[in-house]
Amino acid sequence: MAHARRVTLQDIAAAVGLSVNTVSRALTGKDQVSEETRAMIKAVADRLGYVPNTMARSLVLGQVMTIGVVITNPSNPFYARLISAIEQRGRVHGYSMLLMVSEENPDNERRAVESMMRWGVDGAIVVPVQAGDDHWRRLIDSGTRVVLVNRDLSDVDCDFAGIDYERSAYEASLHLLDTGVDSMYLFEEDLRISTVAARIDGFTRAVTERGLPADAVRVLRVPTRRHEASTLPWEAAESYDLARSVVAGLPDNCGILLGNDYFALGLYRALREAGRRIPDDVRIVGFGDDTFAGYLDPALSSVRLPSEQLGTAAVDQLLARLADRATRTPRVTAFYPTELVVRASSAGPAVVPAPAPAARRTRARTRQGSS
């Protein structure tokens, strides 16, 4: 069986009557070609079925045009949106994505690093497990640029793009307190990671500043199947079982902050079964603003996370490092803003707040140096 020959730059050059160099410049976006000529060459290339030879380009540029992406939990909608943003932004610049999943397992993470070193990726965008960092140091020492996302490793010399979870939880807690609740609960996932710890810190700071007594504040850990594997999705039964065990003793006029929106699925049912009304008896704010949040009854207030912005920014930070490999500038730590989306679940009567609570929307900020 005869196989079709791969269309080359020489074929396109012959078809348009121009030099191979002109065709190459047009298809790679170089400035020395007019837009009219570029459009004509691209149209001919498309008609002939031209596909760039990435391997040949890699040999010329000394790059494989591939970004390694390592995440912990593909079942988390936040990470699904993050991956999509990384892939889209990388594609604009001609990069492919090599995706690997650690499942919150340090051994899986080390294997991912070994794979990236074998493949020779140009750079890596990583959500780390936060259980050791020697393998990341080894990858960086090999010359691979790394950007950490969402979770930091402050002792590793690479850039970080993240979210200020402590401030976001603090502001969400203040919102609940501003509605006049006189007790506060936090439902948080039973994982020992920085994002969870930061939300607990923000919640604790808010209730402390407002002077709630200790017996009016509880932090409850929701058991998680993700100790077994991060690919196991959250289940409503996890928060339902926990909520059912505490709902009978839940005081009236209570505020509840959830570490993620999925906890609301079980909590809502437990409250309804106990005859507790939202928001009359209990006011609730979630975290993540997942697509179903606005369709719950009542609609769930939630902290919207900038997953797409974070993914795009991580690619831009990485490409900036790749474009200036010889320069050894300090690590850049950048935080991107969240937004509190207020819906019916927390729409209780407003009261005069304590002096000067922080703005509901955090601002992006970037700083040089260690974090």
Side-chain angles (χ1 to χ4, degrees):
M1 178 184 293
H3 293 277
R5 184 176 63 84
R6 185 189 187 102
V7 176
T8 66
L9 293 177
Q10 289 83 352
D11 296 327
I12 301 170
V16 298
L18 296 171
S19 70
V20 171
N21 284 340
T22 300
V23 171
S24 177
R25 288 198 299 272
L27 294 177
T28 54
K30 298 294 176 60
D31 295 335
Q32 301 94 326
V33 181
S34 71
E35 287 305 315
E36 182 181 359
T37 300
R38 191 189 314 280
M40 182 267 292
I41 291 173
K42 188 176 185 309
V44 172
D46 290 343
R47 177 171 58 81
L48 294 176
Y50 172 72
V51 178
N53 188 328
T54 304
M55 184 63 72
R57 185 183 180 198
S58 298
L59 292 172
V60 172
L61 298 177
Q63 296 176 265
V64 296
M65 303 304 294
T66 300
I67 297 172
V69 178
V70 184
I71 65 162
T72 57
N73 177 18
S75 68
N76 185 335
F78 172 82
Y79 288 129
R81 293 191 292 267
L82 180 75
I83 292 167
S84 179
I86 292 171
E87 193 280 330
Q88 290 180 39
R89 190 64 164 184
R91 181 168 12 104
V92 167
H93 295 278
Y95 284 83
S96 299
M97 181 177 70
L98 177 64
L99 176 64
M100 288 160 283
V101 177
S102 68
E103 297 185 356
E104 300 287 1
N105 184 311
D107 292 333
N108 289 346
E109 189 175 75
R110 292 187 188 94
R111 281 190 284 270
V113 168
E114 291 167 2
S115 295
M116 287 190 288
M117 293 180 73
R118 283 196 303 270
W119 281 94
V121 298
D122 298 301
I125 296 175
V126 177
V127 180
V129 172
Q130 295 184 310
D133 54 27
D134 289 347
H135 44 293
W136 296 120
R137 294 174 188 275
R138 191 166 70 252
L139 182 65
I140 293 168
D141 289 344
S142 74
T144 303
R145 299 294 195 184
V146 174
V147 174
L148 300 174
V149 177
N150 203 45
R151 304 178 189 173
D152 200 3
L153 298 169
S154 58
D155 293 332
V156 176
D157 186 17
C158 63
D159 292 344
F160 171 72
I163 295 167
D164 192 339
Y165 286 98
E166 192 273 344
R167 183 180 181 88
S168 300
Y170 171 76
E171 292 174 355
S173 300
L174 288 183
H175 162 70
L176 286 168
L177 289 162
D178 287 348
T179 68
V181 300
D182 45 32
S183 62
M184 287 280 286
Y185 282 53
L186 170 63
F187 280 47
E188 189 51 85
E189 190 168 17
D190 187 22
L191 281 178
R192 310 302 174 186
I193 54 177
S194 63
T195 52
V196 168
R199 283 192 293 264
I200 293 174
D201 288 346
F203 170 84
T204 302
R205 179 158 71 99
V207 297
T208 301
E209 286 183 3
R210 291 297 176 86
L212 258 64
D215 60 0
V217 177
R218 290 189 67 183
V219 176
L220 302 174
R221 292 286 193 155
V222 180
T224 177
R225 297 188 305 152
R226 293 207 290 142
H227 285 304
E228 304 166 38
S230 75
T231 49
L232 293 173
W234 285 302
E235 282 194 346
E238 296 164 354
S239 57
Y240 172 69
D241 291 341
L242 177 62
R244 222 170 36 148
S245 71
V246 299
V247 72
L250 204 65
D252 288 334
N253 201 30
C254 177
I256 300 179
L257 179 64
L258 306 175
N260 70 68
D261 287 349
Y262 281 82
F263 293 162
L265 301 177
L267 175 62
Y268 269 44
R269 178 177 173 178
L271 290 171
R272 188 172 292 113
E273 290 175 350
R276 311 302 288 275
R277 298 167 301 167
I278 308 168
D280 298 327
D281 303 324
V282 181
R283 296 178 197 126
I284 303 171
V285 173
F287 231 94
D289 195 32
D290 288 299
T291 53
F292 62 83
Y295 294 91
L296 294 177
D297 183 20
L300 177 66
S301 298
S302 188
V303 177
R304 180 174 295 163
L305 303 177
S307 49
E308 292 87 354
Q309 184 183 7
L310 198 60
T312 298
V315 173
D316 289 345
Q317 284 181 244
L318 181 60
L319 295 184
R321 290 294 188 183
L322 293 176
D324 196 16
R325 289 177 181 270
T327 304
R328 194 69 176 174
T329 56
R331 87 187 311 248
V332 173
T333 299
F335 291 94
Y336 296 88
T338 62
E339 181 180 1
L340 178 59
V341 181
V342 177
R343 300 188 180 98
S345 71
S346 64
V351 298
V352 178
R360 288 290 178 263
R361 183 174 173 84
T362 62
R363 295 178 296 172
R365 60 191 190 278
T366 305
R367 64 176 181 269
Q368 297 275 351
S370 298
S371 65

